Amino acid sequence: MEFTEVPVNQQSKAKKKKNKAPKMKRGASQEGDGEKVGLETEGGDAKKMKPETATFPPTFSVSEIKNKQRRHLMFMKFKQERRKQKMQLRKKRQKEREALGDKAPPKEVPKTIENQRVYDETTVDPEDEEVAFDEGTDEFSAYFQGLTNPKVLITTSDRPRGKTVKFCEQLATVIPNAHVYYRRGLALKRIIPQCISRNFTYLMVVNEDRHVPNGLVLCHLPDGPTAHFKVSSVRLRKEIKRRGKDPTEHYPEVILNNFTTRLGHTIGRLFAALFPQDPQFVGRQVATFHNQRDFIFFRFHRYIFKNEKKVGIQELGPRFTLKLRSLQKGTFDSKFGEYEWVLKRHEMDACRRKFQL
Amino acid sequence: MEERARLCSVWLGSETGILKGVSVARKQAFNFCNSSHLSRDQEVRVLAWADPDESELLLGSVDGSVKTFSLEKGVFTDTRRCGDAQDGCFTGLGALPGGALLTCVERGVVRVWREDKSEPVTELNAGANVCRMRQSPVNAQRVATGGKENGLKLWDLERPGGPVFTAKNLRDDWLDLRRPHWVRDMAFIPDSDKVVTCTGHHQVHVFDPSTPQRRPVLEAEFGEYPLTALALPAAGGAVVVGNTHGQVAVLDLRKGLVRGALKGLAGGVRALQCHASAPLVASCGLDRFLRVHSLDDRTLQHKVYLKSRLNCLLLSRRPLEEAGAGPGAGPGEVKEEQDEDDEVWAAMEQVEEEAGKRKAEEPETQKKTKKKKKK
């Protein structure tokens, strides 16, 4: 029934429109996708043949059509048309480029929020004496001078279930010299002095929610700092496709990407100090902390040089994403500790182009 | 060096032991130290003016020495040892009329030092774990101390026998449990005897020594993290407090309600100070920024990155925006410039002011470019 009705309507509409033809053109072009529609109206006869593709009055929008099926149909058509135009334009441009050959103008770089980043005044200048001194004497300096060897204790929130247990085990295979302990309901503030007396340099606590890890507290010992991360998109080894064989016990290499600001530097150093300083290249294993838009992506790979130019990589897992919530001075003390940096949502992320790390 | 020192209107002490001066009007920051031997022992814990006309600064470092910095010369002129490193860090520092020096350390020993003697003249014990000692701006002999499990005590330095006023602990709570003390910072309210304190248990208390009541006359709470610093605005009737999460708020002293929050801080607050006349408050802390907020509309006015964690802060009394030089030396310099200009601009008296301005601006831009190059 509807279908029979609609063409009648359309025809009557079309009749009306005939008189207004020049106006329609303008209206269409105002909508921004004018060209094609304009062409059709020029070849006026075609319009009579196909009433569906008739142009609309200037204020028409697809959402005004009351019939759902009809609206859907029209919208699909509208989209198809737009896509066609786009493709045409693209082909045209490509042809022009080919025709110009070498003289073609350089390709435009797409705008992303990263390359439009708001300048951060804390960006570390490698030649800055003061920052160098600050970093040279901070809590990690003992590690970077080669005085201490990392020793990591991994534990969880109380009564870990499911994925979290496996996640901890797999983390322990990634980080050399890591020990996984059952929490046994102990308070972190009581664990820390014991860790210090046993020469641990890191305490790592994985928090879980609904059997899925969702938080990570990374506490550098003996005197801080403590970082709190949100953990998301954890994929364990089993869930990774095309993964390699289990990792060996060689010390991996560490890649830290894009930690540029002063805060980013501290976080980068925090991650670097998790791993022993002299990687064993025999193992050909790399742990990567890649920072992009304040999210830190962790990946663990094995690489192989196929020939002089080609390198093959194979993911070993696990993979997860971290986002910094807070950085606290001193060892874990969420109540009385002093925070060096706290993520304040809606205040700090009001500008999408401003990044903290 | 001298000129730079005279320009600065905000002074900050950093964890790396560098004294930093900031000229807000010119948007420039200077480091005052010899960068050859930086060390963490020199970490500046407290800053104070050595004299009322603000020509010298006192710096208390972690290793127990007090340094004097002359603003006119722009160099450190004097270093003296005041107590041992075992006593803990300085928690308060002040100058007394007659050139005497007042220090307080974490162990709770308040000492008065004369310039000619190496031993303290007066020594009084304020109990262990003192977090802060402050001097009354009206009467320099009046001193307040307080700390962890160490309530507020007011002292008169001329009568070192015992405290003038000792605060009583709060009443037990509804479970009949004792409430812990932890005074983190205090200030004397001008035009009255009252003292306002902020605590590590996120409370703000007002004590009134003139009444027999030794418990606070006003109790207020802010946030849920320890309050670390407080400052009294020049306008009165309010107090600015900051906590370890970088939340800063203006509390009303009549009812203890929050008047408004100052936004923009990322890390814990270490020091707050309000300007003596203008409605401005400066804050610094672990996020390595100096921020100046307006108290009228609570907007951020200035923000300066200073590269090290900042421990303490001191504002000069003259207007913050004033680009001119310090007291005494300032006018002379300006006059000199005018003398030179007089010959050139004699015929153009009417626009003299504008010309002067332009003159003042030129060196500024030059300096800016210089600074950029340095960076």
Side-chain angles (χ1 to χ4, degrees), chain A residues 125 128 130 134 137 339, chain B residues 20 40 268 307-309 375:
Chain A
D125 174 13
D128 200 312
E130 193 182 334
D134 196 10
T137 53
Y339 285 80
Chain B
K20 285 162 186 286
R40 294 244 166 194
K307 295 183 192 168
S308 312
R309 289 182 199 138
K375 270 191 176 178

Side-chain angles (χ1 to χ4, degrees), chain A residues 207-224:
Chain A
N207 191 48
E208 71 161 15
D209 181 37
R210 300 177 200 192
H211 306 184
V212 175
N214 75 336
L216 179 74
V217 174
L218 197 53
C219 177
H220 184 252
L221 302 172
D223 35 35

Side-chain angles (χ1 to χ4, degrees), chain B residues 64-373:
Chain B
S65 63
V66 175
K67 285 190 256 179
T68 316
F69 179 82
S70 162
L71 261 68
E72 271 141 36
K73 293 173 193 155
V75 283
F76 291 98
T77 49
D78 187 24
T79 309
R80 63 182 294 178
R81 294 204 65 80
C82 297
D84 295 321
Q86 302 159 1
D87 285 347
C89 311
F90 283 115
T91 54
L93 186 67
L96 292 171
L101 198 67
L102 172 69
T103 63
C104 178
V105 288
E106 270 179 355
R107 279 268 210 77
V109 193
V110 181
R111 295 192 182 106
V112 179
W113 308 77
R114 291 249 170 254
E115 248 173 59
D116 41 345
K117 288 176 195 164
S118 60
E119 290 300 306
V121 183
T122 324
E123 193 169 315
L124 44 91
N125 193 356
N129 296 326
V130 170
C131 287
R132 187 80 75 185
M133 186 266 317
R134 284 209 188 243
Q135 225 176 344
S136 164
V138 184
N139 178 4
Q141 300 288 344
R142 213 171 152 77
V143 160
T145 60
K148 195 168 187 179
E149 291 311 323
N150 187 347
L152 177 77
K153 290 190 188 93
L154 297 184
W155 305 80
D156 192 342
L157 291 178
E158 282 155 356
R159 281 177 290 161
V164 181
F165 171 81
T166 322
K168 217 172 171 182
N169 198 359
L170 295 174
R171 262 178 225 293
D172 293 349
D173 65 3
W174 58 284
L175 288 172
D176 285 340
L177 292 174
R178 186 184 162 278
R179 294 223 253 164
H181 265 297
W182 192 0
V183 179
R184 290 292 289 258
D185 200 354
M186 73 285 283
F188 289 87
I189 299 176
D191 310 326
S192 70
D193 285 345
K194 289 180 188 169
V195 178
V196 56
T197 66
C198 67
T199 71
H201 303 284
H202 51 88
Q203 304 141 321
V204 175
H205 293 155
V206 178
F207 293 93
D208 193 350
S210 60
T211 57
Q213 187 181 347
R214 283 167 57 205
R215 291 204 168 97
V217 291
L218 177 84
E219 288 179 48
E221 290 208 343
F222 170 66
E224 45 188 327
Y225 299 103
L227 297 175
T228 49
L230 108 186
L232 290 173
V239 62
V240 187
V241 292
N243 69 13
T244 55
H245 269 233
Q247 294 161 340
V248 180
V250 186
L251 301 186
D252 197 304
L253 278 181
R254 289 170 297 187
K255 280 193 79 181
L257 297 176
V258 177
R259 265 193 201 168
L262 305 177
K263 288 192 174 180
L265 281 86
V269 181
R270 274 284 170 91
L272 284 169
Q273 199 184 351
C274 295
H275 194 264
S277 49
L280 290 172
V281 59
S283 57
C284 72
L286 294 181
D287 59 351
R288 303 183 172 89
F289 275 97
L290 160 74
R291 287 186 174 81
V292 180
H293 284 89
S294 159
L295 281 170
D296 286 337
D297 49 3
R298 299 191 293 276
T299 50
L300 184 64
Q301 304 281 331
H302 303 283
K303 181 174 152 186
V304 189
Y305 173 55
L306 291 170
K307 295 183 192 168
S308 312
R309 289 182 199 138
L310 305 165
N311 274 335
C312 44
L313 166 82
L314 203 61
L315 293 179
S316 72
R317 206 170 291 136
R318 65 197 156 94
L320 215 58
E321 298 286 347
E322 188 185 276
E333 195 189 89
V334 175
K335 262 183 198 170
E336 267 175 38
E337 254 178 38
Q338 273 178 357
D339 287 339
E340 285 169 20
D341 293 346
D342 271 348
E343 295 153 25
V344 189
W345 300 103
M348 303 171 63
E349 291 228 325
Q350 280 166 329
V351 279
E352 194 188 17
E353 206 180 16
E354 210 181 274
K357 246 186 204 171
R358 218 179 271 161
K359 266 265 164 184
E361 266 168 22
E362 269 173 10
E364 182 183 327
T365 47
Q366 279 173 7
K367 274 199 176 173
K368 261 185 194 170
T369 51
K370 256 187 205 172
K371 202 193 166 196
K372 267 178 197 169
K373 271 178 203 169

Side-chain angles (χ1 to χ4, degrees), chain A residues 182-348:
Chain A
Y182 189 66
R183 175 79 171 262
R184 292 194 300 146
L186 290 167
L188 280 188
K189 280 188 198 172
R190 292 181 56 193
I191 297 176
I192 286 167
Q194 294 179 24
C195 287
I196 294 171
S197 66
R198 285 172 174 74
N199 287 327
F200 280 97
T201 60
Y202 267 101
L203 172 68
M204 203 180 211
V205 186
V206 181
N207 191 48
E208 71 161 15
D209 181 37
R210 300 177 200 192
H211 306 184
V212 175
N214 75 336
L216 179 74
V217 174
L218 197 53
C219 177
H220 184 252
L221 302 172
D223 35 35
T226 307
H228 183 200
F229 297 96
K230 177 176 89 177
V231 180
S232 57
S233 353
V234 178
R235 293 189 74 185
L236 301 176
R237 273 186 197 135
K238 220 175 173 184
E239 296 156 345
I240 291 174
K241 283 178 187 166
R242 292 181 289 282
R243 73 175 172 99
K245 284 178 186 160
D246 281 351
T248 53
E249 291 205 333
H250 296 98
Y251 296 167
E253 295 155 58
V254 182
I255 299 177
L256 298 162
N257 275 345
N258 283 344
F259 292 95
T260 53
T261 66
R262 188 67 189 81
L263 177 70
H265 258 238
T266 313
I267 298 297
R269 286 167 75 85
L270 185 80
F271 286 132
L274 266 176
F275 295 88
Q277 250 180 340
D278 42 340
Q280 294 169 329
F281 296 105
V282 189
R284 304 198 318 271
Q285 294 177 141
V286 194
T288 315
F289 293 91
H290 175 84
N291 169 34
Q292 192 170 4
R293 304 182 182 187
D294 285 353
F295 287 92
I296 300 159
F297 299 96
F298 175 84
R299 298 290 183 271
F300 194 52
H301 291 286
R302 181 180 292 140
Y303 62 87
I304 186 162
F305 294 109
K306 285 180 177 163
N307 52 42
E308 282 94 34
K309 281 173 189 168
K310 273 192 169 176
V311 182
I313 56 169
Q314 190 178 40
E315 187 160 0
L316 303 179
R319 62 165 88 144
F320 52 90
T321 308
L322 300 171
K323 184 151 201 286
L324 187 64
R325 283 250 180 85
S326 66
L327 181 67
Q328 185 214 320
K329 199 176 183 258
T331 54
F332 179 83
D333 188 347
S334 53
K335 196 172 177 195
F336 295 114
E338 273 189 296
Y339 285 80
E340 199 173 315
W341 182 87
V342 186
L343 175 68
K344 288 183 177 162
R345 294 186 58 205
H346 311 305
E347 194 177 311
M348 281 178 180

